[in-house]
Amino acid sequence: MNNLKSEKGSYLKSAVNQPVYWYPWCTEAFEKAKERDLPVLLDIGAVWCHWCHVMDRESYNDNEAAAIINENFIAVKVDKDERPEIDSRYQKAVSVFSGNGGWPLTAFLTYDGYFFYGGTYFPKDANYGIPSYKSVLTEISKYYRENREAVFAQSVDFYNRIFEESGKFSIFNINIKRINDAIKKDDSINVDYVKKFLNEGALEFKLHFDEDNGGIDESPKFFCFSALELLLWDYIINKNRDSLSKGVFTLKKIASGGVFDHVGGGFHRYSTDKKWIIPHFEKLTEVNATALRIYSYYYRLTGDEIFLNIINRTLNFITGDLYDRLGGGFYASVDADLGSGDDGKFFTWTFDELRDVFPDKDEFNRVIKLFSLGKDGRMHIGDADSSDFSNVLYTDNTTETISKRFYDKAIVRLKSNRDKRKKPFVDKIKYSSINGNVIYSITELSKTFSPFDPNRKRLNDIAEQSIKPFLDIFEKNGDVGRFVGEPGGSVLEDNVYIILSLIGLFEVVSKPFYLVYAKRIADYVIKNYYDSDRGGFFDIRHTTKGSMIGFLGYREKNIADYSGYSQNATALIAISKLYVLTDEVRFKNIILKSFKYFINEANILKYNASGYLISLVHYALRANINIVAGKYGDKAISDYFDKIYSFSKNNDKIKINFNSFNIFIDTHNRDIVESYAGFGSYKKGDLPIFGEINKIIAEYDRVKKFLVFQCGDKSCNVNRDIT
């Protein structure tokens, strides 16, 4: 029987009525496989995945295929969003074995959980040079029965080989000269080395740069947002204008392409072509959260109106389609498909559909020209004059060369029409890592506004409402959880993104308990994920008791940015920010030990470890902390924030913009004042910034005027250059 009825993950829930006798990933499934001496069929996918839907429809909903599976295998289904630690390990196995990875992931395991064969999508009938799935099932079952001992021996050997290889960059195999160059005798990081390291990563990215379309010169094309942030930092720190230019060029090309949803706002997952035109249509919240942050960073540097348009449209998508207005928090994804045979139909347009929206001939022709219909965005082969094929909307050029007024009017009418269509499935699970990422990005955007700007208040209200469920979970269970409604089960990225969101909230709303929670969750992370012997963070808890099934026995540490920033990069950025705010030596020691552990790997990965390189910037170029004290509405305070976040080619001002905390304390808000007073009894060395803020409030009460205090390692002093 199918065993998925009580599961919470959306991908598993979608398979409840399939005739396959699915198990979730659990000990019972592997024990059953051992009892019956059968191999395990592992399917990993996601509810937003187009080819997962295709394989479900062709094979897992097919009674004949299900009968083969049920007789010869124990079938295990995994939602990659729910269990990223399972996905990452078996993705690695399939990629090494077949040269390809992705979803659906189809793997065959021994009852010990060791991989011995696999691939991704297998068609119902032999096609694309791939054998039919039924023939694969039959042959694998036969091979297992006839070569059982060899299968077990080879699977263990394969595991040892791929995971021994992953340790080859560890500190025990490291180039000692690099450490001596990077770490000074006083145990501090050599800032010049970090600048050079950063520049080398940016240079490597630019060696693979697509001069025509931006990004990496490859197809399919992924956003590589961490590398684009690396280019930005190369400009800020090394004054490399070529890096900034290539980052700007790439983001504009992405913005004009079909990979950006011109009608609904937000981004699809990636582009299937080099020109950013035809996307994989699913829209993932984590992709859009990161896009929002990177576009806001580039807007802060350039003031480019194109970036502002993308920020607004992406923010509207996130806080519209993906936001739970009642309970707070953000949903996980929007599906690519509506049903059988569909590939992005909700997002695409035929000529006839556009003619219905724009019946006026002149307007219709302008829209055809504006969105390049019938050209590279055409989805299906057919006669050029046919109205049957769908088109992805994109612009040949950036919106600099388009009438913005006509573009905006066209978008409004298109959206009004599209909103009447049947909508793709929205996965309403609220994952901790995704929500932390979104809230962090919202706070990064919020801090560019004056504390009195209505935009800042709106953003802060959304962020505060959305963090609350995760703090409630942490308070109740001592763990932020993988998603709301699931006690425990968090992985590293859940915790570190929540920490970043809390640090962001502390800066933009000035409530001390956010920093307290950030520190408490950091304590949990250090205890459960940090490798105190070598440095770096494991992706799953090393304190978990009992044996782990199969590849979960390997606790992974890496700094490679695959679909986003690596978990170690995110962790080290969070720890670096906490070190600045708390001045705790243990945070410094964690950063230095981890830097040493990963340095050799980073030298080889270059821009593929962009997130890790950025984390070094956050530590090595220690941020300023500016405490701004005064009355809500004071024009001098508005002028201060406008000044520090105004666009400037002056690198000193850029550094203030990107490498500082600016915390506004409304000295006339008794709730805020009393919240800090409540921390006056904190023992020495425990969040001393709260004590300094209390002193600043007292000083304001004495002089009764707007003050800016700049905080160093030990104390805060009035910045008389500003006030």
Side-chain angles (χ1 to χ4, degrees):
M1 60 176 288
N2 189 303
N3 299 279
L4 303 179
K5 188 175 181 180
S6 62
E7 292 303 306
K8 295 179 180 178
S10 298
Y11 183 59
L12 273 59
K13 287 168 71 173
S14 72
V16 164
N17 295 317
Q18 290 176 355
V20 177
Y21 297 163
W22 291 114
Y23 284 87
W25 182 277
C26 61
T27 303
E28 181 187 353
F30 289 87
E31 288 176 347
K32 182 69 70 173
K34 185 174 183 179
E35 177 187 316
R36 295 180 58 190
D37 193 15
L38 292 176
V40 172
L41 163 64
L42 175 63
D43 169 68
I44 304 178
V47 73
W48 45 258
C49 167
H50 169 72
W51 286 104
C52 300
H53 298 327
V54 173
M55 197 160 175
D56 278 343
R57 188 168 59 249
E58 292 180 345
S59 298
Y60 298 135
N61 288 329
D62 179 74
N63 287 322
E64 187 179 338
I68 296 172
I69 293 169
N70 294 337
E71 182 179 348
N72 298 284
F73 301 91
I74 298 299
V76 174
K77 203 170 191 74
V78 170
D79 186 329
K80 64 88 51 186
D81 289 335
E82 183 183 3
R83 300 297 302 271
E85 76 281 19
I86 297 173
D87 177 56
S88 66
R89 285 158 173 76
Y90 289 99
Q91 284 286 351
K92 184 169 186 175
V94 169
S95 296
V96 170
F97 178 81
S98 69
N100 294 302
W103 304 282
L105 190 82
T106 308
F108 296 92
L109 318 178
T110 66
Y111 54 65
D112 293 326
Y114 292 100
F115 171 90
F116 67 90
Y117 184 82
T120 52
Y121 165 75
F122 288 99
K124 181 177 182 179
D125 301 309
N127 206 348
Y128 316 108
I130 307 172
S132 73
Y133 192 38
K134 289 175 189 174
S135 69
V136 170
L137 292 168
T138 302
E139 289 301 316
I140 290 296
S141 175
K142 179 183 177 184
Y143 182 79
Y144 180 85
R145 289 194 308 270
E146 295 176 355
N147 301 275
R148 185 180 177 284
E149 289 186 9
V151 166
F152 276 82
Q154 290 166 2
S155 67
V156 172
D157 181 62
F158 182 74
Y159 169 85
N160 290 334
R161 285 175 181 271
I162 64 172
F163 287 112
E164 281 178 7
E165 280 291 297
S166 70
K168 67 185 177 182
F169 298 123
S170 78
I171 192 169
F172 301 104
N173 230 355
I174 211 162
N175 184 328
I176 299 300
K177 183 179 184 303
R178 288 198 182 115
I179 292 182
N180 292 337
D181 289 344
I183 307 295
K184 294 181 179 179
K185 290 181 180 179
D186 64 357
D187 243 6
S188 64
I189 290 181
N190 184 334
V191 174
D192 290 335
Y193 183 87
V194 171
K195 290 180 178 180
K196 178 174 175 288
F197 209 178
L198 196 78
N199 181 253
E200 288 173 355
L203 179 61
E204 181 75 13
F205 179 84
K206 291 186 286 186
L207 288 175
H208 300 278
F209 192 71
D210 182 340
E211 298 290 347
D212 295 322
N213 305 294
I216 297 296
D217 192 4
E218 63 184 4
S219 176
K221 218 175 185 79
F222 294 88
F223 296 115
C224 298
F225 283 129
S226 62
L228 295 178
E229 186 180 351
L230 182 75
L231 295 182
L232 177 142
W233 280 109
D234 189 38
Y235 168 66
I236 293 170
I237 293 172
N238 295 315
K239 302 184 180 180
N240 191 322
R241 292 192 176 275
D242 182 57
S243 289
L244 178 65
S245 175
K246 284 182 166 55
V248 167
F249 179 74
T250 298
L251 289 175
K252 286 187 176 182
K253 283 292 185 180
I254 291 171
S256 65
V259 75
F260 177 72
D261 181 0
H262 289 270
V263 176
F267 294 85
H268 299 290
R269 188 161 68 96
Y270 68 90
S271 175
T272 62
D273 62 277
K274 292 177 70 170
K275 296 182 178 180
W276 306 105
I277 294 174
I278 296 181
H280 249 235
F281 288 97
E282 57 270 10
K283 297 172 79 174
L284 306 189
T285 309
E286 61 185 322
V287 169
N288 282 277
T290 308
L292 178 67
R293 191 164 66 251
I294 299 307
Y295 272 92
S296 70
Y297 288 165
Y298 273 84
Y299 177 65
R300 282 157 60 182
L301 270 186
T302 66
D304 196 303
E305 290 294 318
I306 292 174
F307 296 158
L308 180 61
N309 176 57
I310 297 299
I311 291 165
N312 286 330
R313 303 285 310 288
T314 303
L315 184 64
N316 287 341
F317 166 63
I318 291 173
T319 59
D321 295 19
L322 300 174
Y323 177 48
D324 180 356
R325 289 176 176 80
L326 294 177
F330 299 92
Y331 306 137
S333 62
V334 179
D335 200 351
D337 304 344
L338 289 172
S340 177
D342 176 34
D343 187 5
K345 180 156 181 58
F346 175 80
F347 302 101
T348 57
W349 301 81
T350 65
F351 277 85
D352 285 347
E353 287 169 337
L354 283 174
R355 197 173 280 111
D356 288 340
V357 182
F358 301 97
D360 179 83
K361 185 177 180 181
D362 289 340
E363 276 192 327
F364 173 74
N365 288 333
R366 286 190 74 186
V367 169
I368 296 300
K369 183 177 180 181
L370 171 62
F371 291 114
S372 308
L373 263 74
K375 297 182 180 179
D376 292 340
R378 181 171 157 175
M379 290 288 293
H380 302 293
I381 295 175
D383 182 46
D385 295 324
S386 170
S387 60
D388 325 9
F389 61 82
S390 295
N391 293 267
V392 177
L393 303 188
Y394 73 100
T395 60
D396 264 336
N397 300 296
T398 68
T399 49
E400 286 173 315
T401 60
I402 296 167
S403 166
K404 187 176 185 305
R405 187 176 178 186
F406 181 73
Y407 174 89
D408 290 342
K409 283 186 173 182
I411 291 302
V412 169
R413 289 168 66 178
L414 287 166
K415 188 174 189 307
S416 177
N417 181 277
R418 197 177 84 174
D419 284 347
K420 297 172 186 174
R421 297 177 179 179
K422 179 184 176 182
K423 294 182 179 176
F425 175 77
V426 176
D427 184 359
K428 293 190 174 182
I429 290 182
K430 301 173 191 174
Y431 289 102
S432 302
S433 61
I434 292 172
N435 274 263
N437 194 353
V438 175
I439 297 166
Y440 175 46
S441 293
I442 286 174
T443 61
E444 287 293 281
L445 181 59
S446 171
K447 70 194 222 180
T448 63
F449 295 102
S450 158
F452 322 134
D453 192 307
N455 289 304
R456 178 158 172 156
K457 184 180 187 310
R458 173 176 171 257
L459 292 171
N460 291 351
D461 287 347
I462 291 170
E464 287 201 90
Q465 184 195 27
S466 298
I467 196 63
K468 188 178 184 306
F470 301 96
L471 298 185
D472 290 343
I473 293 168
F474 181 75
E475 202 60 60
K476 182 179 179 181
N477 302 314
D479 183 325
V480 299
R482 177 63 187 147
F483 56 88
V484 173
E486 178 68 13
S490 69
V491 293
L492 175 62
E493 68 175 355
D494 294 314
N495 294 280
V496 293
Y497 268 120
I498 293 293
I499 292 170
L500 282 172
S501 69
L502 290 165
I503 293 169
L505 277 164
F506 171 65
E507 180 175 5
V508 297
V509 300
S510 313
K511 295 177 182 177
F513 73 87
Y514 286 127
L515 184 56
V516 173
Y517 268 112
K519 190 166 172 289
R520 285 178 61 192
I521 297 172
D523 291 341
Y524 174 82
V525 168
I526 293 165
K527 177 182 176 181
N528 290 282
Y529 296 91
Y530 179 58
D531 183 351
S532 57
D533 293 328
R534 301 184 180 185
F537 293 85
F538 298 109
D539 64 331
I540 57 178
R541 288 187 293 267
H542 62 70
T543 53
T544 301
K545 296 179 181 179
S547 61
M548 304 287 279
I549 300 168
F551 282 19
L552 286 183
Y554 177 77
R555 292 178 172 87
E556 190 169 46
K557 292 187 294 186
N558 72 69
I559 54 167
D561 297 333
Y562 293 120
S563 58
Y565 293 66
S566 73
Q567 294 191 52
N568 266 277
T570 310
L572 290 170
I573 291 171
I575 295 297
S576 295
K577 286 174 176 278
L578 279 175
Y579 173 56
V580 171
L581 289 168
T582 67
D583 204 35
E584 287 196 26
V585 174
R586 63 177 179 137
F587 293 143
K588 173 183 177 181
N589 292 339
I590 286 168
I591 296 161
L592 289 171
K593 183 174 279 192
S594 301
F595 179 39
K596 292 177 184 179
Y597 180 81
F598 289 121
I599 190 171
N600 208 39
E601 185 176 1
N603 268 284
I604 293 171
L605 289 173
K606 303 293 188 191
Y607 74 87
N608 289 302
S610 291
Y612 167 78
L613 298 178
I614 293 163
S615 75
L616 298 182
V617 172
H618 282 279
Y619 172 75
L621 275 73
R622 182 167 175 153
N624 296 319
I625 303 174
N626 300 309
I627 310 295
V628 184
K631 183 178 180 180
Y632 188 88
D634 189 332
K635 185 177 183 302
I637 295 171
S638 292
D639 291 344
Y640 168 80
F641 277 89
D642 288 343
K643 180 180 179 182
I644 63 170
Y645 288 119
S646 62
F647 312 113
S648 173
K649 301 302 181 186
N650 181 297
N651 273 74
D652 293 334
K653 189 172 286 186
I654 288 170
K655 185 177 177 183
I656 292 173
N657 191 348
F658 277 87
N659 208 36
S660 65
F661 291 94
N662 291 281
I663 302 165
F664 168 61
I665 303 296
D666 180 3
T667 52
H668 291 250
N669 184 325
R670 300 322 301 172
D671 290 339
I672 290 290
V673 171
E674 288 172 9
S675 68
Y676 282 100
F679 290 101
S681 60
Y682 259 45
K683 62 183 181 291
K684 186 177 180 181
D686 196 353
L687 292 170
I689 190 172
F690 293 166
E692 292 301 309
I693 289 174
N694 278 318
K695 293 177 185 176
I696 290 165
I697 292 170
E699 178 64 13
Y700 176 86
D701 287 342
R702 188 182 70 81
V703 300
K704 304 294 184 187
K705 73 169 188 174
F706 152 67
L707 296 169
V708 177
F709 283 73
Q710 196 165 67
C711 303
D713 292 349
K714 303 296 181 185
S715 62
C716 302
N717 297 291
V718 175
N719 187 337
R720 302 198 182 279
D721 292 336
I722 295 175
T723 58

